[in-house]
Amino acid sequence: MSNSSSSRSPAAPAAPTVIVVDDDEQLREALSSLFRSVGLRVELYGSAAELLAAKPPAVPRCLVLDIRLPGVSGLDFQSQIATSPMNMPIIFMTGHGDIPMTVRAMKAGAVDFLTKPFRDQDMLDAVATALENDRKQSEADKASTDIRALYQSLTAREKEVMSLVTSGLMNKQVAAQINLSEITVKIHRGHVMRKMNAKSLADLVRMAETLGLGITKA
Amino acid sequence: MSNSSSSRSPAAPAAPTVIVVDDDEQLREALSSLFRSVGLRVELYGSAAELLAAKPPAVPRCLVLDIRLPGVSGLDFQSQIATSPMNMPIIFMTGHGDIPMTVRAMKAGAVDFLTKPFRDQDMLDAVATALENDRKQSEADKASTDIRALYQSLTAREKEVMSLVTSGLMNKQVAAQINLSEITVKIHRGHVMRKMNAKSLADLVRMAETLGLGITKA
DNA sequence: CAACGGAATATACCAAGGTATGAAGGCGGG
DNA sequence: CCCGCCTTCATACCTTGGTATATTCCGTTG
C-alpha cells in the first residue's frame, strides 16, 4: 500500500489545477506540457465561453489567460468571473498589451501580467503564487461560510442577543436594551452558544467578528 | 476667504496633502496648480533625496512620483519607503514605462500608474483614492499601535494569562496550564483588564485578535 | 540594606454566568 | 384543532468571575 495508481482517497488534497484559456493551440500545448512537468493538472480552453460551460475543478486552481480572447476581452472576463462562484486568481498573458490595460488588470486583482514571450520560470512562479492565494482564499471562504450557516440557524431574538453579548454587554444590560428579563437573555444566550457550536465566549466573539457583527448599526 | 491664513485649531483634520516628486519643474508646477484647484495641499520635490530630507506631513497624504527619477529609480524608492515610517500610497507617472515595470509597481501596492500625458481627471481620481487609502491605513495603524503599547505594559505573566484567557479557557484551566492557583490567575486577569483598558472580555478578545495572539504558538 | 514592585497564595464575599424545571401565550402547518 | 416552535418569565441551584485584604518570597534599585 505504498499508494501508487488508485487514488480515490476522500481526503486527497486534489492536485492543483491550472486552467489555460488561449486561442493559440500551440501555446496551449506548450503551457500544458510546462505545467505538467512540475506536477500540475491542466485544463485547456480556446475561449472564455468554453470555460464557462465546463465544471470548475476543485481548489486550488488558477487561470492563465490571454488578454485578447475570441468573444469577450480578458479584462471583461476578469470582472465577470470575479463576482461568480468560480472566482479564482488570474494570470494574464499578452502579446500587444499596453500600460492602461495592465493597470486595470492589476487593480482588479490579477496575480501577474506577463508579456509574450515570457520565461517559463516567470510563469511557474506566478502560477505558484496564484495557487497559494486560491488555497488561502478558499480556506477563508469556507470558514466564513460555515459560520454564516450556523448564524442563519438562529432565531431573530437569538441573533439580537448574540450581537449584544459579543459587543461586551452583561446579561442584565442586554435585557434592559431589548426589554427582557435577565433570565430570558440567559436562555437565548445558551441557545446561541449551542447552535453556534461555540465552546466559550471568546469563541463567539471571534465568530461575531467574522460575521461583521456590531459594525452593522454603529 | 473666510478662513485663510491662521488655522492653528488643534482638532483640525489637517488638509490632505499631495507630495509631488518629479525632476521636470514645469510638470511640478502644473500638478501643483491642478491639486490646489481642488483644495489639496501640495509639496514639491525634484528628487527622492529632497523628500527624504524633509519632514513628512500629517495624514492623509500620498505621493505622486515619476518612475524615472534623478538618483534612485521610482520603483526602488517605492520599496524603500514601504518599510519606512513615512510609508504612504504612491501614484506613478511615466513617459516611457513598460509593462514589467507597471506590474512590479502595482504588485508593490501602487494605487495607479499613469502614462504621460494623462487626463487631469484621472490623476485627481487616483489621488482621491490614494488619500482615502492613507486615511484608512493610518487609522488602522493608530488603533493597532495604541493596543500594542498597552500590551507592552503588561508583565510576562499577565501576557501569558491574557493569551490563554482570550483563547477561551476558564480560569481554572489557565491555572492548570501554567501551574498556578486559580486565585492568582484571577488577579492577573484583573490586572490585564485594567492595564489594557478593556471594559469586557469581548473587548479583550478583540484586542488579542488585533495583536495576533493565539496564532503565535498554535 | 531597605524599599519597591512583581509574583504567588489564601480566605472570604459578592456579582455574574449557566442550567434545570415548570409554565404560559402566540403563531403557523398538518 | 392540535402539535411544534418561538418567546417569555419565575424559582432554585451551582459554577465561574471579580475584588478586597493580608501574607510571603524574590529580585532590582536607590
Side-chain angles (χ1 to χ4, degrees):
Chain A
M1 15 216 134
S2 55
N3 64 347
S4 50
S5 52
S6 74
S7 64
R8 61 177 185 284
S9 45
T17 305
V18 182
I19 304 175
V20 176
V21 182
D22 195 303
D23 60 351
D24 175 354
E25 180 169 354
Q26 279 212 290
L27 179 57
R28 286 204 301 270
E29 290 305 330
L31 285 173
S32 175
S33 91
L34 171 64
F35 293 138
R36 276 181 305 187
S37 77
V38 294
L40 297 168
R41 276 191 60 228
V42 180
E43 293 185 13
L44 302 177
Y45 298 96
S47 72
E50 286 179 45
L51 168 57
L52 290 170
K55 179 174 68 70
V59 293
R61 72 266 202 257
C62 73
L63 206 48
V64 172
L65 188 103
D66 197 290
I67 200 93
R68 171 186 253 148
L69 291 173
V72 288
S73 93
L75 290 172
D76 290 341
F77 185 58
Q78 182 186 26
S79 6
Q80 217 174 302
I81 215 173
T83 56
S84 87
M86 80 153 118
N87 183 26
M88 66 182 93
I90 298 181
I91 293 157
F92 282 107
M93 303 175 291
T94 179
H96 319 82
D98 57 25
I99 290 184
M101 227 177 222
T102 309
V103 170
R104 186 180 152 194
M106 296 300 288
K107 275 189 188 173
V111 170
D112 215 325
F113 197 104
L114 301 173
T115 49
K116 298 179 190 172
F118 45 81
R119 285 179 303 162
D120 285 358
Q121 192 55 49
D122 287 344
M123 176 58 86
L124 291 176
D125 288 348
V127 164
T129 302
L131 291 172
E132 177 59 13
N133 288 355
D134 193 49
R135 197 191 55 74
K136 281 192 190 134
Q137 182 60 47
S138 76
E139 212 171 77
D141 279 0
K142 174 166 173 38
S144 169
T145 300
D146 289 354
I147 291 178
R148 218 161 289 274
L150 291 176
Y151 183 67
Q152 285 312 324
S153 80
L154 300 182
T155 68
R157 263 297 194 234
E158 287 163 352
K159 287 177 187 173
E160 205 169 352
V161 169
M162 172 168 171
S163 168
L164 294 170
V165 162
T166 55
S167 81
L169 298 182
M170 289 183 308
N171 287 339
K172 63 169 60 172
Q173 294 177 302
V174 174
Q177 191 89 10
I178 54 183
N179 211 17
L180 285 182
S181 78
E182 189 182 344
I183 184 78
T184 306
V185 171
K186 285 185 180 180
I187 292 177
H188 287 315
R189 186 173 178 156
H191 288 163
V192 169
M193 294 297 284
R194 254 188 296 283
K195 288 189 181 179
M196 294 299 290
N197 206 10
K199 290 170 301 303
S200 65
L201 178 57
D203 245 45
L204 196 67
V205 170
R206 271 182 261 268
M207 291 182 191
E209 286 287 276
T210 299
L211 291 169
L213 250 56
I215 310 170
T216 322
K217 69 176 204 177
Chain B
M1 304 305 154
S2 44
N3 61 344
S4 49
S5 49
S6 75
S7 62
R8 63 180 184 283
S9 45
T17 304
V18 182
I19 303 175
V20 177
V21 182
D22 195 304
D23 58 353
D24 175 354
E25 180 170 354
Q26 280 214 286
L27 180 56
R28 286 205 299 271
E29 290 305 329
L31 284 173
S32 176
S33 90
L34 170 63
F35 293 139
R36 277 181 305 189
S37 77
V38 293
L40 296 168
R41 277 191 59 228
V42 180
E43 292 185 16
L44 303 178
Y45 300 96
S47 71
E50 287 179 44
L51 168 57
L52 289 171
K55 179 174 69 69
V59 293
R61 73 270 203 252
C62 72
L63 205 48
V64 171
L65 188 107
D66 195 291
I67 201 94
R68 169 188 256 147
L69 291 173
V72 289
S73 93
L75 290 173
D76 290 341
F77 186 58
Q78 182 185 27
S79 7
Q80 217 174 303
I81 216 175
T83 56
S84 89
M86 80 155 117
N87 183 26
M88 66 183 92
I90 298 181
I91 294 157
F92 282 107
M93 301 176 292
T94 181
H96 318 83
D98 58 24
I99 289 184
M101 229 177 223
T102 310
V103 170
R104 184 178 153 196
M106 296 300 287
K107 274 189 189 174
V111 171
D112 215 325
F113 197 103
L114 301 173
T115 50
K116 296 178 189 173
F118 45 80
R119 285 178 303 162
D120 285 359
Q121 192 54 49
D122 286 345
M123 176 58 84
L124 292 176
D125 288 348
V127 164
T129 301
L131 290 172
E132 176 59 13
N133 287 356
D134 193 48
R135 196 191 55 74
K136 281 193 190 134
Q137 182 62 45
S138 77
E139 213 171 76
D141 280 0
K142 172 163 174 40
S144 169
T145 300
D146 290 353
I147 291 178
R148 219 160 291 273
L150 292 176
Y151 183 67
Q152 286 313 324
S153 79
L154 300 182
T155 68
R157 265 294 195 232
E158 288 163 354
K159 287 178 187 172
E160 207 169 353
V161 169
M162 173 169 170
S163 167
L164 293 170
V165 162
T166 54
S167 81
L169 298 183
M170 289 184 308
N171 287 340
K172 63 170 61 175
Q173 294 176 302
V174 174
Q177 193 89 10
I178 54 185
N179 211 17
L180 286 181
S181 77
E182 187 181 345
I183 185 74
T184 307
V185 171
K186 284 185 181 182
I187 291 178
H188 288 314
R189 185 174 178 155
H191 289 163
V192 169
M193 294 298 284
R194 255 189 297 283
K195 288 190 181 177
M196 295 299 291
N197 206 10
K199 292 171 301 303
S200 63
L201 177 58
D203 246 43
L204 197 68
V205 170
R206 271 182 264 267
M207 291 182 192
E209 286 285 279
T210 299
L211 291 170
L213 250 57
I215 311 170
T216 320
K217 68 177 207 176

